[in-house]
């Protein structure tokens, strides 16, 4: 009777975990296929968030401040601020966070600056706004799909323990039940993988089109504020990170010594397949340096 109760409990847990995983996957699939419209009046920071996450936003702000002569970058990747003033616009909180992270010396490694400022409320507010418009998948939802998958792996290991117990106890009447439950949980966890994209397919298509416009002659480009932004130096960094910068000192930051390999903050890696939004709060992406794709993650090292 005890054995039957354990099998029933395992069956209930496994069924519940599979149902939860399927529900989360279905919800994310609906969000990815949503017919959303990307606003023409997106700011450079909003474009950066869509293309590479929080760290890309900070990298874009750093790039703009460099162009304004408000900071310089040393060969070793140290950022030196020339004053402690910050803009009076929507990027004020981000700039203030960068200057604060630099400390009294007004200098700090770029990786540490980006990692610190990416957690700033001003950056998070950009993500919240885009999420409310349906242009970003909620980080909490992305976290759930990873938690649900981990739960399935744990449950896949439980039923075989019951099977082994039955065999060793000399009552292998239901040995197949444990094997079957384990196989079902394993199959579900294997086949239903977490979605890597953090923006709907329509948004990703728009980002790809904007990148392509930079390669076309100006006379062939469609009119529109978003296209006009994408072909500017700031827009290029927002879309592809510091790897797209024309500033030699900034392009020099795209090195494993300055950033953790694969961090989309600097470039050379697809933003789609890395890191965590934790970062932005999920297990999926947040970048600053470069690479195309729907996401961008990895933590920037100091």
């Amino acid at each position: 009777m005890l054995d039957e109760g354990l099998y029933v409990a395992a069956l209930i847990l496994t069924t519940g975990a599979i149902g939860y995983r399927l529900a989360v996957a279905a919800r994310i699939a609906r969000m990815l296929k949503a017919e959303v419209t990307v606003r023409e009046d997106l700011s450079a920071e909003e474009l950066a968030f869509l293309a590479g996450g929080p760290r890309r936003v900070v990298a874009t702000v750093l790039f703009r401040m460099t162009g304004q002569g408000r900071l310089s970058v040393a060969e070793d990747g140290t950022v030196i601020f020339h004053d402690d003033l910050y803009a009076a616009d929507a990027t004020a909180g981000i700039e203030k966070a960068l200057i604060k992270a630099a400390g009294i010396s007004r200098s700090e490694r770029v990786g540490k600056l980006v990692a610190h400022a990416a957690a700033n409320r001003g950056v998070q507010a950009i993500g919240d706004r885009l999420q409310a418009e349906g242009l970003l998948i909620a980080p909490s939802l992305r976290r759930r799909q990873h938690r649900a998958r981990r739960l399935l792996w744990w449950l896949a290991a439980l039923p075989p323990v019951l099977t082994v117990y039955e065999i060793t106890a000399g009552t292998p009447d239901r040995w197949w039940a444990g094997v079957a439950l384990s196989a079902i949980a394993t199959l579900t966890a294997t086949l239903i993988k977490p979605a890597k994209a953090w923006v709907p397919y329509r948004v990703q298509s728009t980002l790809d089109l904007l990148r392509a416009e930079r390669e076309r002659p100006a006379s062939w480009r469609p009119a529109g504020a978003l296209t006009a932004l994408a072909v500017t130096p700031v827009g290029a960094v927002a879309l592809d990170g510091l790897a797209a910068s024309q500033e030699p000192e900034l392009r020099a930051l795209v090195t494993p010594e300055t950033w953790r390999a694969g961090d989309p903050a600097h470039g050379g890696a697809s933003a789609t397949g890395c890191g965590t939004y934790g970062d932005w709060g999920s297990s999926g992406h947040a970048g600053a340096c470069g690479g195309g794709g729907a996401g961008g993650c990895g933590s920037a090292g100091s």
Side-chain angles (χ1 to χ4, degrees), residues 42-295:
L42 283 181
S43 66
E45 290 71 34
E46 289 173 326
L47 182 62
F49 207 117
L50 290 176
R55 285 180 167 80
R56 183 72 60 77
V57 174
V58 179
T60 302
V61 172
L62 280 173
F63 175 76
R64 180 186 287 123
M65 293 178 72
T66 302
Q68 296 170 344
R70 298 166 58 198
L71 61 83
S72 56
V73 183
E75 292 183 359
D76 64 353
T78 298
V79 174
I80 302 154
F81 292 91
H82 300 158
D83 56 53
D84 56 1
L85 303 177
Y86 48 87
D89 56 18
T91 63
I94 305 173
E95 293 187 6
K96 187 175 181 179
L98 285 168
I99 294 170
K100 181 179 179 181
I104 298 177
S105 64
R106 292 183 184 170
S107 64
E108 184 55 86
R109 297 280 291 180
V110 64
K112 185 174 181 180
L113 283 176
V114 171
H116 177 87
N120 176 263
R121 182 57 202 156
V123 177
Q124 306 304 311
I126 295 173
D128 293 342
R129 184 165 60 251
L130 294 171
Q131 180 186 326
E133 296 177 18
L135 302 181
L136 283 173
I137 296 176
S140 59
L141 185 60
R142 288 178 49 82
R143 285 195 296 270
R144 284 179 213 158
Q145 64 178 349
H146 291 275
R147 286 199 297 261
R149 194 183 194 205
R150 285 195 297 270
L151 178 59
L152 282 172
W153 285 122
W154 278 105
L155 290 176
L158 176 61
V161 174
L162 299 178
T163 298
V164 172
Y165 169 76
E166 278 210 284
I167 293 175
T168 55
T171 57
D173 297 334
R174 290 172 297 273
W175 65 269
W176 54 269
V179 175
L181 287 175
S182 179
I184 293 172
T186 300
L187 193 62
T188 305
T190 302
L191 295 180
I192 307 179
K193 298 179 179 179
K196 292 182 179 180
W198 68 3
V199 295
Y201 298 135
R202 179 64 65 86
V203 175
Q204 182 56 48
S205 176
T206 299
L207 295 176
D208 292 340
L209 287 174
L210 290 174
R211 293 186 180 98
E213 293 302 332
R214 298 208 307 267
E215 307 300 325
R216 302 176 63 182
S219 58
W220 291 6
R221 294 171 188 154
L226 199 53
T227 300
L229 171 62
V231 299
T232 64
V234 172
V237 171
L239 282 170
D240 292 318
L242 293 179
S245 169
Q246 299 302 313
E247 302 294 332
E249 66 269 25
L250 292 177
R251 289 184 62 85
L253 295 180
V254 188
T255 63
E257 291 75 22
T258 306
W259 303 86
R260 191 176 73 176
D263 189 334
H266 57 69
S270 170
T272 310
C274 53
T276 70
Y277 241 164
D279 325 342
W280 189 48
S282 116
S283 56
H285 52 164
C289 291

